[in-house]
Each structure stands twice: as C-alpha cells, then as structure tokens.
C-alpha cells in the first residue's frame, strides 16, 4: 500500500472527529482554516520542549508575560509593561486578561507558574533558569515582582518563550489552562486537533478565525500535495525541493526566512565524544556547501561557527571559518586522541523530516571519509526526541532555531549545566561556557556583553559543545485567500504561530 492510500485510510478511521469525514473538511470555508502540521505533537505540556509543531499549538492555546510582534519586536502579552528593579529584579504590570476558564490572570498565577517550573521534580525546559529566582512578590493582583539570585538582563526576553507560558493555578490536576486565543475542542491522537476561538482573549476583536483544524501530515510530500489540491489552507515546514514550484503557483504564497539551522550534538557522558579533539574532528570533516545543496536544494548557507546571524551586533566574523572543512586536520585530531584506526559510533536522526534524513546521510558519508564509521538510527520524530532526552546515542543531527534573536538564545544549545534535552549535547559540561553565559545574561552594558559572547564563541570553537552545519531557509506556504499570517524574522520563525490570532481566510 502506498503512502497516499495509507493516509486516506488513516483519515477515514478517525471516528471521533466527524469534521474529518465531512465534505467541509476541505479547505476553503471562510473563517475556518485547515492547517497542515509537520507532525502530531508528542505533548503539548506547556513547559516542556517537544518540537516546533508542538510549539505552534502551544502558541495558540497558551501565552506568557511577553511575546513578539509580527516584525519580531518584543511586546507585552499578559504583561502590559515591565521595568527593572535595581539589577536583580523585574516588575511586571499585568493587563486585564483572562484564562480560558474565565478567571482573571493574576500575579498569584505567575508566582505559581514559576514555582511549578522550578520545582525539584520538574522536567520543564526552563527549570534551571527559574531556579535562579530568589522569590516572587505579589503586592497586588496586577503587579508581580520577580527577584533573582543574580542579575538577568534578558528576563523579559526569556518570558516570551513558548516554553514559559503562564498557567492558571486553578487548573484541574493533570490539565493546564492557558490564556491564548484558541482552545482545543477535540483531538484524534496522532492525527489531528480541532481548535475554536477563546471569546475572552485579551486583544479586542481577536482571534479572527472561527475554527482551526490542525491535521498532521508527517510525509512532507503529502503535506505539499494537500495544499496544492485544496485540502489545507496553510502548511508549515515547506520542503525545500518544493519551494520553487510553490512560489510559481499563482494560487499560493510562500513566506520564507533564514534563521533556523542544522547542527550536531554529542553524548559527552562516555568515550569517544567526551574528548573535544574527537568532537572537533567531526566538525572539520563536513563539506557544508555540499550539505546545503543535497539537503536544502541550495536554500541555505554553510554554518561553521555558533548560530549568530551576520546581521546581529554580536556576530563574530573572526570565527566564520572556525569549523571549516579540513579532513586532514580531522584525521590528525583523531590520531592525537588515540583513534588511529578510526571510530565506530551511532548517528541519531529521524526519517520523518527530509532535512534531518538527508543531513544525516550526507554527514555519515563525510565522517566515513575521515575514519568515523557512523551507523544511522532514524526513528519517527517522537521517538527521536525521547532517545535524545535519554542520551541513547553517540552523535545526533538536530535542526531548530534559537530561543530568541539575542545571543542568550543560543545558551540552550551549549550550556551543559542545563537539564537534559534533545536539543543539546548529553552530559557535556564546559564550566567556563556556563560561567560566561551567566555573565552575559547578567550584563546590561551592550559593549561588555559583546566581549563576553565573543569569548563564549572562542571557547566553543575549541571545545565543540555543538557543531554548526548549515543555516536553512524556513518556510510556510498558504492559499492566497489566507491573510494575516506572518513568518517571524530570524530565529523567531518558530514563533510564527503567534500570528494565528490575526489570520483570516476569505
């Protein structure tokens, strides 16, 4: 049975969601948008990181103290304003907003949320950062003061993360009540979610849509076919081989930005990748231009340093060739590390996304050329996330965007002191990098911050806590009848789900 037949069979079997079987399930109904997801979210637990498809759904149903405008500017969300209190505190003034249970968003909810994230048994993505909170003061319902153990200049940016939404402290046990513009009405596990507008959303007149049907098309070719046939209105993760054809289709619009990137992470808990020489050997073994052509059809560029955009004031041109292709150097480093006969290892990726699969296959070839024999492991996305979180790999391919356009946004990928996560190397701690990242987070002077992050990058080039591979173009595609949806700039591309609140379908 071919993949198209399998897809139809799966959809026909979705008995608990009648809209999937009805003729109106096709796109094109005014006010109702059908969205083609790249995967069904492994979890939409608000404080965990389970991938960008999950993040998009989280941005529909949850909101944090801050967020981003369509142009990428930081804006107030549940907070209408904020200001520093000395160097070790921030005061947020809450707007008149409500949770989806009808209750007002209060300072007590903010305090409770931070306590849950920082709790001893928490598995939250930002647990370590929230443990840096000394106390949360709630002088009144609309005022919250977050007092920190050390200065954090970037806290307002951090609070915009889709992994830090504010949740009602009165959420029923095991559930999470947010304050986003949409509510989940129904779902068919592994297949689809149906969302309806939250009429109490704090932005007057929003959201504009009457319904969103998010249907998972794990096969990227089926996702494109669904858009072109009119089965869906909007898709994420436009495959690179399809971008030219979509851009040329008069019925469709393509919205792409550069900001996402591909990279490698390592298992630092055991040999051989606990040795920086071996990690550097990997870094210098990759022909990145060939990778851009093979995996992204030329829609990208080589990334031979940390993922800081050239347009950023924190970009360090001196390191642009830090991990350049040099197979002779790779072989020398392996020999210095005692591996003259080469290395055998596992290389984790996923077959669910073509970019991950193609990247892994090219990397495997390049590594073999310097004596690193990598056996591919490419399960589905949810399994890949679980394996990565548990550190059951030697080397792994990753692809994502930074948490923000601030250089602190790359801390998630190189700070080994943070809780285990599939987005960073497993148990690979470089104390000096952790210290410098904390210093950069605490520094309010921009010139001093630039110096700090330059030193972070110098050490990272030598120690390779991660290895950059390529920048990649990241795209959404939609029917021309869809308006108001915007692909946010740079590293914020995966925050584009914020603009579903302003999206409409004619």
């Amino acid at each position: 049975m071919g993949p198209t037949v399998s897809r139809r069979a799966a959809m026909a079997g979705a008995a608990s969601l009648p809209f999937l079987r009805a003729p109106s399930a096709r796109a094109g109904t005014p006010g109702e948008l059908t969205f083609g997801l790249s995967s069904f979210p492994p979890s939409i637990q608000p404080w965990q990181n389970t991938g960008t498809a999950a993040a998009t759904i989280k941005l529909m149903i949850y909101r944090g103290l801050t967020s981003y405008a369509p142009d990428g500017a930081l804006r107030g969300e549940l907070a209408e304003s904020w200001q520093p209190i000395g160097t070790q505190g921030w005061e947020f003034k809450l707007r008149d907003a409500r949770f989806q249970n009808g209750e007002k968003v209060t300072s007590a909810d903010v305090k409770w949320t931070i306590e849950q994230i920082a709790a001893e048994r928490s598995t939250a993505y930002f647990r370590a950062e929230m443990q840096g909170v000394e106390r949360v003061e709630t002088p009144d319902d609309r005022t919250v003061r977050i007092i920190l153990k050390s200065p954090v200049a970037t806290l307002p940016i951090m609070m915009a993360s889709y992994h830090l939404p504010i949740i009602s402290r009165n959420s029923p046990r095991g559930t999470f009540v947010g304050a986003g513009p949409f509510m989940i009405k129904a779902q068919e596990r592994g297949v689809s979610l149906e969302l309806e507008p939250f009429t109490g959303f704090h932005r007057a007149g929003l959201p504009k849509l009457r319904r969103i049907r998010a249907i998972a098309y794990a096969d990227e070719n089926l996702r494109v076919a669904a858009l072109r046939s009119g089965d869906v209105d909007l898709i994420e993760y436009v495959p690179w081989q399809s971008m030219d054809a979509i851009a040329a289709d008069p019925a469709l619009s393509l919205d792409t930005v550069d900001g996402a990137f591909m990279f490698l992470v390592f298992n630092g808990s055991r040999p051989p990748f606990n040795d920086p020489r071996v990690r550097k050997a990997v870094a210098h073994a990759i022909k990145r231009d060939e990778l851009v052509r093979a995996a992204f059809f030329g829609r990208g560029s080589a990334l031979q340093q940390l993922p800081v955009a050239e347009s950023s004031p924190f970009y360090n041109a001196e390191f642009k060739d830090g991990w350049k292709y040099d197979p002779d150097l790779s072989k020398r480093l392996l020999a210095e590390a005692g591996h003259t006969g080469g290395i055998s290892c596992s290389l984790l990726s996923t077959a669910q996304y073509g970019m991950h699969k193609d990247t892994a296959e090219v990397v495997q070839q390049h590594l073999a050329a310097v004596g690193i024999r990598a056996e591919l492991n490419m399960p589905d996305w949810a399994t890949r996330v679980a394996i990565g979180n548990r550190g059951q790999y030697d080397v792994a391919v990753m692809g994502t965007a930074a948490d923000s356009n601030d250089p602190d946004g790359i801390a998630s990928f190189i700070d080994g002191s943070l809780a285990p996560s599939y987005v960073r190397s497993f148990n690979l701690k470089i104390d000096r990098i952790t210290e410098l990242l904390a210093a950069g987070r605490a520094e309010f002077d921009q010139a001093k911050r630039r110096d700090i992050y330059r030193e972070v990058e110098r050490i990272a080039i030598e120690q390779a806590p991660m290895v950059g591979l390529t920048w990649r173009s990241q795209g959404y595609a939609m029917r021309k009848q869809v308006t108001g949806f915007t692909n946010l700039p740079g590293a914020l591309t995966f925050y584009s789900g914020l603009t579903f609140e302003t999206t409409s379908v004619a």
Side-chain angles (χ1 to χ4, degrees):
M1 183 179 289
T4 302
V5 177
S6 297
R7 176 68 192 174
R8 288 173 179 166
M11 296 301 288
S16 68
L17 290 181
F19 74 86
L20 290 177
R21 303 192 303 272
S24 61
R26 285 181 63 85
T29 304
E32 299 185 4
L33 181 132
T34 306
F35 175 43
L37 274 171
S38 60
S39 67
F40 191 87
S43 164
I44 49 174
Q45 206 273 12
W47 306 311
Q48 292 181 348
N49 181 355
T50 55
T52 53
T56 299
I57 300 299
K58 291 199 296 185
L59 287 170
M60 296 183 194
I61 60 179
Y62 308 127
R63 287 298 162 93
L65 290 177
T66 56
S67 69
Y68 296 101
D71 64 357
L74 189 69
R75 70 178 182 186
E77 189 66 41
L78 298 181
E80 59 186 6
S81 65
W82 58 91
Q83 62 180 358
I85 306 171
T87 60
Q88 289 186 220
W90 288 88
E91 180 180 272
F92 293 84
K93 289 291 187 180
L94 303 183
R95 69 174 74 249
D96 187 10
R98 291 186 181 273
F99 290 112
Q100 292 170 357
N101 58 9
E103 297 178 356
K104 284 193 173 185
V105 177
T106 70
S107 57
D109 298 296
V110 178
K111 184 176 188 291
W112 179 84
T113 292
I114 291 174
E115 289 172 348
Q116 302 310 299
I117 294 172
E120 182 179 354
R121 296 186 179 181
S122 166
T123 58
Y125 187 65
F126 277 96
R127 177 177 178 268
E129 289 87 346
M130 291 302 101
Q131 286 186 322
V133 174
E134 179 68 38
R135 65 185 184 278
V136 179
E137 299 175 352
T138 57
D140 58 62
D141 281 354
R142 298 280 290 274
T143 304
V144 58
R145 295 175 184 145
I146 302 174
I147 310 302
L148 302 147
K149 297 174 183 176
S150 58
V152 179
T154 58
L155 187 71
I157 296 173
M158 195 182 300
M159 300 309 292
S161 173
Y162 41 51
H163 303 311
L164 273 175
I166 304 304
I167 301 298
S168 169
R169 69 190 189 281
N170 293 322
S171 298
R173 185 175 180 84
T175 65
F176 303 93
V177 178
F182 294 94
M183 306 169 63
I184 292 181
K185 181 180 180 181
Q187 63 176 300
E188 174 71 6
R189 186 72 188 171
V191 177
S192 60
L193 302 100
E194 182 178 6
L195 299 103
E196 60 185 4
F198 170 45
T199 56
F201 186 56
H202 57 266
R203 289 197 172 89
L206 300 179
K208 294 183 177 182
L209 292 167
R210 294 198 302 266
R211 182 170 67 167
I212 295 177
R213 293 162 293 171
I215 303 176
Y217 289 84
D219 184 306
E220 60 190 17
N221 296 313
L222 288 179
R223 194 159 63 247
V224 172
L227 176 69
R228 302 195 74 175
S229 68
D231 284 339
V232 302
D233 299 292
L234 169 69
I235 63 172
E236 64 172 0
Y237 272 99
V238 177
W240 291 263
Q241 67 270 23
S242 302
M243 286 185 178
D244 288 346
I246 288 174
D249 190 328
L252 304 176
S253 296
L254 176 68
D255 190 349
T256 63
V257 300
D258 288 338
F261 55 92
M262 304 300 293
F263 60 108
L264 297 176
V265 294
F266 304 93
N267 189 330
S269 68
R270 63 191 185 211
F273 297 104
N274 59 345
D275 188 329
R277 294 170 296 185
V278 179
R279 300 194 296 269
K280 281 196 70 178
V282 170
H284 290 288
I286 311 301
K287 299 179 185 178
R288 290 166 176 81
D289 291 339
E290 183 177 310
L291 184 53
V292 171
R293 290 192 299 271
F296 301 104
F297 295 78
R299 287 181 174 264
S301 59
L303 175 59
Q304 300 179 146
Q305 61 186 119
L306 290 182
V308 177
E310 285 189 45
S311 58
S312 169
F314 295 91
Y315 176 74
N316 296 309
E318 66 203 89
F319 301 125
K320 66 184 179 66
D321 296 320
W323 292 318
K324 68 179 179 180
Y325 176 62
D326 188 340
D328 291 334
L329 176 57
S330 292
K331 293 172 183 177
R332 288 199 304 273
L333 287 166
L334 288 174
E336 289 175 15
H339 302 288
T340 53
I343 288 172
S344 295
C345 63
S346 65
L347 176 58
L348 174 65
S349 186
T350 177
Q352 188 164 327
Y353 291 99
M355 59 176 173
H356 285 260
K357 178 178 180 290
D358 295 343
T359 296
E361 290 174 346
V362 173
V363 167
Q364 180 190 39
Q365 294 171 13
H366 295 172
L367 293 181
V370 300
I372 301 175
R373 299 171 295 276
E375 181 178 352
L376 294 180
N377 179 19
M378 294 199 284
D380 62 77
W381 176 248
T383 304
R384 185 261 173 269
V385 169
I387 291 173
N389 287 336
R390 294 194 297 263
Q392 295 173 326
Y393 65 92
D394 292 318
V395 187
V397 170
M398 256 308 297
T400 189
D403 289 337
S404 71
N405 283 325
D406 186 90
D408 190 47
I410 64 173
S412 296
F413 313 114
I414 59 175
D415 187 353
S417 72
L418 300 176
S421 171
Y422 72 100
V423 303
R424 52 182 164 263
S425 292
F426 185 79
N427 198 25
L428 206 170
K429 299 177 181 179
I430 301 170
D431 291 341
R432 183 58 180 154
I433 285 181
T434 297
E435 292 166 5
L436 287 166
L437 289 172
R441 200 173 293 127
E443 182 56 65
F444 285 76
D445 183 282
Q446 288 295 85
K448 292 179 180 178
R449 289 190 84 213
R450 282 194 291 272
D451 290 340
I452 290 168
Y453 289 110
R454 183 178 295 111
E455 180 64 6
V456 167
E457 185 156 25
R458 185 192 67 76
I459 297 172
I461 294 296
E462 288 302 312
Q463 297 288 315
M466 62 168 280
V467 166
L469 295 175
T470 68
W471 291 105
R472 69 176 201 242
S473 184
Q474 192 70 32
Y476 293 85
M478 64 207 80
R479 297 191 309 119
K480 285 287 176 67
Q481 290 86 348
V482 176
T483 57
F485 183 89
T486 302
N487 194 353
L488 268 59
L492 299 177
T493 178
F494 294 130
Y495 284 81
S496 301
L498 286 165
T499 67
F500 273 116
E501 67 185 45
T502 55
T503 299
S504 59
V505 181

